[in-house]
């Protein structure tokens, strides 16, 4: 039987996944500037994301708009609890854009400042995204600005930073030649190890719920897939096919996101709002999903076209 609520939830989940995979990689490259002190190397890193970063952020706009239109009750609840952090995140995204776009024609001194801005802003965005996601997964009450902080949500924020750095390393390894590619390859394994350790720590913090989580249909498969792809990343880094490590890392992150969403389902906000309770009226869902059926393919085509046109190495 057709269930438009599940379809709406699937659309939001897909939009979230695309944002994390695409802009998460860009944020990883932004933070990665801290490990490349040479101005010319930083220029190459920025050049790899300069043509695509703004298109990748389109998925965040679709996610926010989709949440407002399809699940307005959840949007209102989350915005009420998270609005200071969301504002900080959006401001950091603006500063990151300044750091990326104005760097090319700036003086050496200003470039140094813009690089610091890009590094800091990217780290803030990544941490806040993980912090808020961890707060939702842990089912923390949204009754104060500081309610988002808990050992679980802070670790989730740290894991998000590590995961984005891993994606950034694999991206730079694919898109560049010479010293930047070699340095990114060397950094990828430590960031992979850090990501895995933080994910294990998150699971241990949920040890009381862990048997219940692992009993959910598909949960063990998702965890096994994430583990397998994590093991494949260092092997792929030795391959002559530079794209393989990025593919393995993206699939690892996809598996972990799927596991996270599976632990929350059928809730949108655990123990507060279910998907059914948070959903917009059926007529609204039908209208928005009709528009989404056009918006998502167009965005995918644009993203794919941009990546294809700019598929060459940055030298």
């Amino acid at each position: 039987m057709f269930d438009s609520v599940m379809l709406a939830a699937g659309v939001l989940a897909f939009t979230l996944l695309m944002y994390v995979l695409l802009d998460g990689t860009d944020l990883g490259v932004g933070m990665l500037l801290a490990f490349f002190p040479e101005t010319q190397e930083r220029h190459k890193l920025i050049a790899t994301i300069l043509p695509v970063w703004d298109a990748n952020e389109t998925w965040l706009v679709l996610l926010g708009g989709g949440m407002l239109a399809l699940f307005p009750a959840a949007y209102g609840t989350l915005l009420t609890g998270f609005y200071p952090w969301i504002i900080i995140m959006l401001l950091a995204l603006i500063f990151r854009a300044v750091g990326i776009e104005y760097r090319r024609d700036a003086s050496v001194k200003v470039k140094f400042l813009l690089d610091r801005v890009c590094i800091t802003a990217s780290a803030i965005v990544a941490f806040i995204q993980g912090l808020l996601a961890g707060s939702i997964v842990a089912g923390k009450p949204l009754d104060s600005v500081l309610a988002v902080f808990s050992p679980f949500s802070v670790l989730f924020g740290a894991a998000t930073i590590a995961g984005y750095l891993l994606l950034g390393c694999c991206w730079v390894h694919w898109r560049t030649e010479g010293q930047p590619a070699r340095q990114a390859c060397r950094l990828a394994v430590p960031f992979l190890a850090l990501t895995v350790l933080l994910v294990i720590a998150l699971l241990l913090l949920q040890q009381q719920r862990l048997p219940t989580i692992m009993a959910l249909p598909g949960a063990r498969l998702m965890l096994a897939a994430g583990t397998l792809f994590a093991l494949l990343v260092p092997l792929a880094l030795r391959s002559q096919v530079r794209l393989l490590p990025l593919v393995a890392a993206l699939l690892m992150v996809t598996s972990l996101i799927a596991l996270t969403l599976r632990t929350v389902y059928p809730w949108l906000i655990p123990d507060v709002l279910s998907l059914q309770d948070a959903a917009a009226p059926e007529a609204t869902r039908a209208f928005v999903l009709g528009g989404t059926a056009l918006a998502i393919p167009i965005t995918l085509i644009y993203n794919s076209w941009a990546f294809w046109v700019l598929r060459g190495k940055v030298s």
Side-chain angles (χ1 to χ4, degrees):
M1 182 177 177
F2 177 74
D3 188 341
S4 62
V5 174
M6 290 299 101
L7 178 59
V11 166
L12 284 188
F14 177 77
T15 306
L16 171 65
L17 176 64
M18 293 302 297
Y19 173 75
V20 170
L21 296 184
L22 295 175
D23 201 44
T25 301
D26 295 345
L27 290 167
V29 173
M31 291 184 285
L32 210 56
L33 294 178
F35 301 89
F36 289 80
E38 297 294 329
T39 301
Q40 189 59 31
E41 292 179 352
R42 289 182 171 183
H43 176 74
K44 291 180 181 180
L45 264 64
I46 292 295
T48 65
I49 63 172
L50 186 60
V52 297
W53 72 268
D54 48 353
N56 294 340
E57 282 192 357
T58 303
W59 295 99
L60 182 62
V61 178
L62 289 175
L63 179 63
M67 176 71 78
L68 172 61
L70 295 170
F71 297 97
Y75 182 90
T77 302
L78 292 175
L79 197 65
T80 300
F82 292 161
Y83 75 90
W85 304 108
I86 293 175
I87 290 173
I88 293 171
M89 183 187 75
L90 294 177
L91 288 174
L93 285 170
I94 293 171
F95 279 109
R96 182 188 69 146
V98 172
I100 292 174
E101 292 291 343
Y102 288 89
R103 186 183 187 280
R104 181 174 56 185
D105 299 320
S107 65
V108 175
K109 185 178 292 187
V110 174
K111 279 183 181 178
F112 180 78
L113 175 61
L114 291 175
D115 289 345
R116 290 291 184 90
V117 168
C118 188
I119 293 166
T120 305
S122 298
I124 289 173
V125 172
F127 180 73
I128 289 179
Q129 288 177 0
L131 182 74
L132 300 187
S135 182
I136 293 172
V137 172
K140 295 289 291 181
L142 309 178
D143 52 3
S144 72
V145 173
L146 298 180
V148 298
F149 287 97
S150 70
F152 184 85
S153 61
V154 170
L155 270 181
F156 210 113
T160 303
I161 289 177
Y164 284 179
L165 280 166
L166 171 62
L167 294 178
C169 286
C170 294
W171 172 266
V172 173
H173 177 66
W174 173 43
R175 292 298 313 277
T176 63
E177 296 282 5
Q179 176 59 22
R182 291 191 293 270
Q183 174 73 346
C185 186
R186 287 192 292 267
L187 290 170
V189 174
F191 287 136
L192 171 64
L194 180 59
T195 303
V196 170
L197 288 175
L198 288 170
V199 169
I200 292 173
L202 288 170
L203 291 173
L204 291 176
L205 284 177
Q206 293 285 295
Q207 58 184 332
Q208 292 184 342
R209 294 180 56 208
L210 196 57
T212 303
I213 292 172
M214 289 297 104
L216 296 171
R220 291 180 183 273
L221 178 61
M222 295 168 191
L223 183 59
T227 304
L228 174 62
F229 292 126
L231 293 173
L232 288 177
V233 171
L235 296 177
L237 286 168
R238 300 180 180 181
S239 170
Q240 296 299 316
V241 182
R242 293 284 191 87
L243 182 59
L244 283 181
L246 180 61
V247 171
L250 290 172
L251 289 173
M252 181 194 79
V253 172
T254 299
S255 301
L256 294 176
I257 291 175
L259 177 61
T260 302
L261 294 177
R262 186 67 188 88
T263 63
V264 174
Y265 178 84
W267 299 93
L268 212 159
I269 304 175
D271 301 322
V272 177
L273 275 176
S274 68
L275 291 170
Q276 296 290 339
D277 293 336
E282 186 173 354
T284 302
R285 293 198 303 271
F287 177 78
V288 174
L289 288 172
T292 304
L294 293 175
I296 287 183
I298 290 173
T299 307
L300 282 171
I301 291 170
Y302 177 75
N303 274 132
S304 302
W305 176 79
F307 284 127
W308 175 256
V309 170
L310 302 162
R311 64 189 181 277
K313 301 286 187 181
V314 173
S315 58

